Amino acid sequence: MANIIEFSGTVLTGTEQERRGLWSVDGLLTFERPAAEPDAVLDGWVVPGFVDAHCHVGLGKGGAVDEGTALAQATADRDAGTLLIRDAGSASDTRWIQQRPDMPRLIRAGRHIARSRRYIRGLGEEVEPADLVEAVRKQARAGDGWVKLVGDWIDRGTGDLAACFPAATVKDAIAAAHDEGARVTAHCFAEDTIDDMLDAGIDCIEHATGLLPRHIPRLVGQGVPIVPTLVNIETFPDIAVQAAGKFPVYAAHMTRLWERRKERVLEAFEAGVAVRAGTDAGSVIRHGRIADEILALHDAGLPAAAALDAACWGARDWLGVEGIGEGASADVVLCADDPRADLSTVRGLRHIVLRGNIIRTNSAG
């Protein structure tokens, strides 16, 4: 660790708040100039380390991965500037990563909770409706304040997306999680699933591809954010092609959801729904793609500052982890240019600092 780091560039403490004069002293940020000379001086536009709000460290296509693979996943995220991860379900016990000072901070959700034989094999804890409440309590106690439900998936009997659990059971399960002090998020592709989750008092919606105008006032009123995972939704056309022969209704539905993905995110944002950046890395999506997700949100119509906020200040406030403030952990990334003016600068970061350690320096960034 460089005991004292001076950040010589502009510091963004919010989407519209700028400061000059920031240092890391023994791993903590301060706006007061230390008496001693810095061990390192880093230039660039300073923003909080990025947040990937939907990420699966320790998860592969078949379920749990070994520690070496999990470490490589977390390292790829860190080296892209993701310094805080909200896990959205992992078959691996990744608590050991939380003990590694060189790895991103990790807020775990335990395993996905899915309906028996209605999800990807090996990824989640699969239960029947009668056992959902107990499964939620179990994962609430195993995680760090979050529980992940698989709200819908293809029902091969009907040939289309369908809710995995009865609405009344979901309501009881979410109440149980809240009783355990945990928040609940849910995988939701389909339209009606979002209604069920909002009725049940959900705390967050993942993907939200089925978002309709009727949902938006409820999301705003209930303070429920969405995590669109746009880099994951790009896989929908391939899914539709593969499914078309056997499940044509499902394939057509997935195609429609993909076609309106950008429009739905922009409608929600403009109405005041909080949008968070998440890549869905793990299983299919490779790790280290937070910049792609930030840029995808911008491409959907969010202003550059709002797309950045989805992975920076707003995301950290939502998760209760401080960004840039007096005494906060020195977890920051430095861009070559003002990311609010040129969002592409979130790629090829100039510097990454985690817990006061200079993780990476790219003089060409």
Side-chain angles (χ1 to χ4, degrees):
M1 176 189 292
N3 290 334
I4 300 177
I5 302 172
E6 179 180 351
F7 302 101
S8 61
T10 303
V11 180
L12 300 180
T13 58
T15 55
E16 299 179 358
Q17 292 78 47
E18 298 182 10
R19 293 191 67 162
R20 298 294 295 236
L22 180 68
W23 292 262
S24 168
V25 178
D26 295 331
L28 300 179
L29 296 175
T30 181
F31 294 106
E32 296 185 10
R33 180 184 293 274
E37 290 298 310
D39 300 293
V41 179
L42 304 183
D43 188 29
W45 291 75
V46 185
V47 298
F50 298 143
V51 178
D52 190 335
H54 186 129
C55 190
H56 304 280
V57 174
L59 189 68
K61 290 183 179 180
V65 298
D66 59 47
E67 289 192 359
T69 301
L71 185 63
Q73 293 173 340
T75 299
D77 291 320
R78 181 202 66 188
D79 289 353
T82 294
L83 304 185
L84 175 61
I85 292 172
R86 186 191 63 146
D87 163 61
S90 179
S92 300
D93 184 345
T94 54
R95 282 175 285 193
W96 61 272
I97 290 178
Q98 296 173 318
Q99 309 306 314
R100 291 277 303 245
D102 58 336
M103 288 294 107
R105 299 182 187 279
L106 179 62
I107 299 173
R108 298 166 44 260
R111 297 191 71 171
H112 306 68
I113 303 175
R115 180 72 175 266
S116 301
R117 297 175 297 282
R118 283 283 307 280
Y119 193 49
I120 304 170
R121 185 178 300 173
L123 267 59
E125 179 180 359
E126 297 190 7
V127 299
E128 286 299 296
D131 300 316
L132 180 62
V133 170
E134 186 55 37
V136 164
R137 289 192 180 276
K138 173 184 172 183
Q139 295 304 328
R141 294 165 186 165
D144 302 321
W146 282 94
V147 172
K148 167 75 174 295
L149 300 178
V150 178
D152 56 33
W153 200 251
I154 185 172
D155 183 333
R156 289 169 176 80
T158 62
D160 197 7
L161 289 169
C164 292
F165 298 100
T169 305
V170 171
K171 188 171 185 177
D172 289 343
I174 291 176
H178 291 167
D179 183 56
E180 296 287 344
R183 289 185 279 183
V184 183
T185 194
H187 163 112
C188 297
F189 282 167
E191 295 83 355
D192 292 346
T193 315
I194 298 177
D195 294 295
D196 290 349
M197 294 298 167
L198 290 171
D199 288 345
I202 197 77
D203 301 289
C204 183
I205 298 289
E206 309 297 318
H207 315 300
T209 49
L211 188 68
L212 295 175
R214 70 173 185 259
H215 300 132
I216 291 176
R218 300 191 64 191
L219 289 165
V220 174
Q222 294 176 220
V224 178
I226 62 172
V227 186
T229 65
L230 290 174
V231 297
N232 174 293
I233 305 311
E234 287 298 329
T235 65
F236 276 25
D238 287 341
I239 294 172
V241 168
Q242 294 172 27
K246 192 171 183 180
F247 301 109
V249 174
Y250 167 74
H253 194 174
M254 295 294 280
T255 299
R256 291 195 305 273
L257 295 175
W258 175 78
E259 289 172 342
R260 290 202 57 229
R261 67 200 184 284
K262 296 180 183 180
E263 176 185 345
R264 285 170 167 167
V265 171
L266 182 58
E267 286 175 353
F269 168 76
E270 290 182 335
V273 176
V275 178
R276 307 300 179 207
T279 64
D280 206 357
S283 184
V284 175
I285 305 299
R286 65 175 174 82
H287 287 260
R289 295 193 61 189
I290 190 62
D292 292 340
E293 185 65 23
I294 295 169
L295 290 165
L297 291 171
H298 184 40
D299 184 59
L302 271 65
L308 190 64
D309 185 56
C312 279
W313 311 278
R316 284 177 171 270
D317 287 345
W318 171 57
L319 293 174
V321 179
E322 194 169 6
I324 296 176
E326 188 68 33
S329 180
D331 300 347
V332 297
V333 297
L334 284 75
C335 301
D337 300 297
D338 184 348
R340 301 168 302 177
D342 178 8
L343 195 58
S344 67
T345 196
V346 299
R347 286 201 176 109
L349 295 167
R350 181 166 284 179
H351 307 285
I352 299 171
V353 177
L354 174 61
R355 298 180 177 94
N357 294 294
I358 300 172
I359 297 298
R360 199 187 76 187
T361 293
N362 178 13
S363 59

